[in-house]
Amino acid sequence: MEIIKKLISEALIARKSAYTPYSKFKVGAALLTSTEKIYSGFNIECAAYSMCNCAERTAIFRAVFDNHRKFTHIAIVGGPENQENLTDFCPPCGACRQVLREFCDPKELKIILAKNTEEYKIFTLDELLLFSFGPQYL
Ligand SMILES: [Zn+2]
C-alpha cells in the first residue's frame, strides 16, 4: 500500500506543474516501472489543440526514453486547476490506455485513480481496455 500512496503523491506533485493555459484542467500521473523506478508526467497543451499530450503518455514516454519497457502501476489525478482538493476521479483516455497496453500485461497493470492519498480506486488495464489489441498480434 505504501507504493500506492507514494505514486499518488508523485502524481499530485506533477499535476501542479501541468501546462494547461487553454483548458485549465490539470492532470498528473506517476508510473512505476518493473524495476521500481517512478516516472511522473503532466498534461501539456498547445495552441494547436490536437497536439496536446496527456499526463499519462508524458510519464510513459519519459520512462521509455530511459529504456524502461515494462510498467506495473500508474497513478492518475486530475481536475480543474483551481481545485486543490480533487472531487472526481480522472480516468485515462483511450489513447493512453492503448499506449499503456504496449508496455504491460493488461491483467497485471494497476491503474490507480485518485483524489488524494486516502481516496482512490484501483483497476487493471484489462478492466478499462477489454479485449485489447497488443504486440502479440503482430
Ligand atoms: Zn490520455
Side-chain angles (χ1 to χ4, degrees):
M1 273 309 143
E2 277 313 300
I3 190 63
I4 304 292
K5 292 184 189 305
K6 172 77 175 156
L7 289 170
I8 294 169
S9 295
E10 293 292 326
L12 287 166
I13 290 167
R15 177 179 177 262
K16 291 180 183 170
S17 302
Y19 179 73
T20 57
Y22 309 107
S23 74
K24 308 207 184 301
F25 189 91
K26 292 184 178 291
V27 182
L31 182 71
L32 186 68
T33 70
S34 59
T35 54
E36 299 189 343
K37 275 204 76 177
I38 296 174
Y39 283 84
S40 58
F42 52 64
N43 52 332
I44 301 168
E45 296 182 342
C46 183
Y49 288 166
S50 63
M51 299 298 120
C52 297
N53 197 56
C54 300
E56 299 91 320
R57 277 178 290 141
T58 301
I60 295 163
F61 295 154
R62 288 182 73 202
V64 172
F65 182 83
D66 280 353
N67 231 13
H68 296 283
R69 298 289 186 269
K70 201 82 178 167
F71 310 130
T72 61
H73 296 70
I74 186 168
I76 306 164
V77 297
E81 74 176 6
N82 61 0
Q83 204 174 72
E84 184 85 14
N85 298 310
L86 298 172
T87 57
D88 289 311
F89 296 109
C90 183
C93 77
C96 289
R97 293 176 199 206
Q98 187 64 49
V99 173
L100 282 165
R101 174 67 178 82
E102 186 72 21
F103 300 104
C104 74
D105 175 341
K107 292 189 185 319
E108 297 296 323
L109 180 79
K110 306 286 189 297
I111 298 176
I112 305 145
L113 307 183
K115 297 178 189 175
N116 53 57
T117 56
E118 304 302 319
E119 288 179 278
Y120 58 86
K121 296 180 179 190
I122 301 177
F123 300 91
T124 63
L125 180 62
D126 203 45
E127 290 174 307
L128 299 185
L129 190 69
L130 194 61
F131 195 48
S132 60
F133 186 85
Q136 79 275 19
Y137 290 97
L138 299 177

